[in-house]
Amino acid sequence: DINALCKDVTADYDGVRYMSKINAEVKTLLASDLSTWTFTFKDGNMRLNDLNIKADGFFAMPEEGYKMDIKFAAKENTFKAFLSLIPAIYSKDFDQIKTSGTMAFDGFVKGLYSDVSIPAFAINLKVADGMFSYPGLPGQVSDVNLQAAIANPDGILDHTTVDVPRMHLSMIQNPVDITLSLRSPVTDPDIDATVKGTVNLENVSKIYPLGDKTKVSGIVKADMAFSGKISAIEKGAYDQFKASGFATVDKLVYVGSEVPQPVNISKARFDFTPAYAQLTGLAMSIGKSDLAANGK
């Protein structure tokens, strides 16, 4: 019988931070076979902040690496449980946040992890009609709808696939939509992605308690689409890669304790083609230093 509680868990792997100051708890009945160093559990329960996960399977330690076959799924289907994994949100009056919406989360990991192999795995996430708002603030993030799946069928890293057919949210009536498909991420990334939306940065203070020392304003717009293999760009075969759209910044101002001087971008525009990204009219300042730029 195992009952373990860990606070402020941070997990990094290959330069990527997967957990930041997570409160974790594990409760399970564990069957141990020390002759093969195999540990089997059924109806195991793991809590990460407010996300409760049920898991079944085994974990073994052969002479080389770690062998496992584990299935997991979220026990609750609330959007708030998913929000608790976002450090900036969980650290700010999380118990008082008003939320609605549902979530589904499940997956598996099966195979050998070693210096030369990884196990097969799958992670599936779906959020429907999510919403959150902070007490005392006038705005909210609403209409959060997300479908995402990351899978690897055989432990060969290049066979990993990422599919995000829908990611949508509205920040005080400003919609943002993103899609992403990724194949062969190691040898030749094959990408199909779109980004479209408008973000009024002044609204951030209306939906999130930034504090007195942080101020942000300005408008960011984007409508971009990319499709094709990176190798096409590297070979100069631009007819085999699709890239179009633009991104603009208008009157962006950022003041905060994270930056020593205020940042001001009065304007900037990027236009995308398969052959180049064109920058037009960048005018910005950092403190008393200013910069203007154009180019490809």
Side-chain angles (χ1 to χ4, degrees):
D1 189 1
I2 292 179
N3 189 346
L5 178 64
C6 302
K7 293 186 177 182
D8 295 334
V9 177
T10 297
D12 296 334
Y13 182 74
D14 269 359
V16 177
R17 176 152 293 180
Y18 292 94
M19 295 184 186
S20 180
K21 296 183 178 180
I22 295 288
N23 293 323
E25 184 177 11
V26 176
K27 294 181 179 180
T28 186
L29 291 172
L30 192 68
S32 303
D33 183 350
L34 297 183
S35 64
T36 60
W37 285 97
T38 299
F39 304 91
T40 304
F41 54 93
K42 185 175 178 60
D43 295 328
N45 292 280
M46 178 171 64
R47 178 179 59 82
L48 302 174
N49 287 343
D50 278 27
L51 177 62
N52 290 289
I53 299 172
K54 176 184 176 181
D56 295 284
F58 75 84
F59 181 87
M61 294 184 288
E63 292 185 3
E64 298 291 337
Y66 305 94
K67 190 175 182 180
M68 61 199 78
D69 186 354
I70 302 170
K71 295 180 180 180
F72 56 87
K75 296 179 68 176
E76 291 95 4
N77 65 345
T78 65
F79 178 54
K80 189 171 186 178
F82 170 70
L83 276 181
S84 76
L85 297 184
I86 302 175
I89 293 179
Y90 191 70
S91 64
K92 292 280 189 177
D93 303 321
F94 187 75
D95 291 340
Q96 301 178 45
I97 295 177
K98 179 182 178 181
T99 70
S100 62
T102 61
M103 173 209 65
F105 174 73
D106 62 60
F108 74 87
V109 56
K110 182 177 182 178
L112 180 68
Y113 177 85
S114 70
D115 292 338
V116 296
S117 67
I118 64 170
F121 64 87
I123 301 172
N124 304 296
L125 173 65
K126 184 176 181 180
V127 173
D129 301 322
M131 181 281 297
F132 75 89
S133 62
Y134 276 86
L137 295 181
Q140 65 181 26
V141 174
S142 62
D143 197 20
V144 180
N145 288 276
L146 169 64
Q147 289 178 261
I150 304 173
N152 183 292
D154 53 16
I156 299 174
L157 195 57
D158 197 44
H159 293 172
T160 302
T161 61
V162 179
D163 290 291
V164 185
R166 188 185 189 199
M167 179 178 177
H168 172 85
L169 61 85
S170 291
M171 184 186 297
I172 311 185
Q173 309 306 316
N174 287 327
V176 176
D177 288 276
I178 297 173
T179 65
L180 171 64
S181 173
L182 175 63
R183 300 293 186 271
S184 58
V186 178
T187 58
D188 187 9
D190 188 352
I191 302 169
D192 190 348
T194 63
V195 179
K196 184 176 183 179
T198 299
V199 177
N200 184 343
L201 296 174
E202 190 173 353
N203 285 339
V204 174
S205 63
K206 299 177 182 178
I207 63 172
Y208 183 81
L210 294 174
D212 296 335
K213 295 182 179 180
T214 301
K215 297 185 183 301
V216 61
S217 61
I219 305 293
V220 178
K221 294 182 179 180
D223 189 350
M224 305 177 292
F226 307 92
S227 180
K229 296 182 178 181
I230 298 300
S231 60
I233 297 177
E234 295 172 342
K235 295 184 299 185
Y238 301 122
D239 60 322
Q240 299 175 23
F241 191 92
K242 297 179 181 179
S244 61
F246 69 90
T248 63
V249 178
D250 185 43
K251 298 179 181 178
L252 186 151
V253 177
Y254 180 74
V255 178
S257 57
E258 298 84 0
V259 293
Q261 299 289 338
V263 176
N264 186 319
I265 302 177
S266 59
K267 63 177 180 177
R269 180 182 176 99
F270 277 98
D271 288 282
F272 298 94
T273 74
Y276 58 81
Q278 179 168 323
L279 172 64
T280 306
L282 170 64
M284 68 176 295
S285 64
I286 302 175
K288 295 182 179 181
S289 301
D290 45 31
L291 171 70
N294 294 277
K296 295 181 181 180

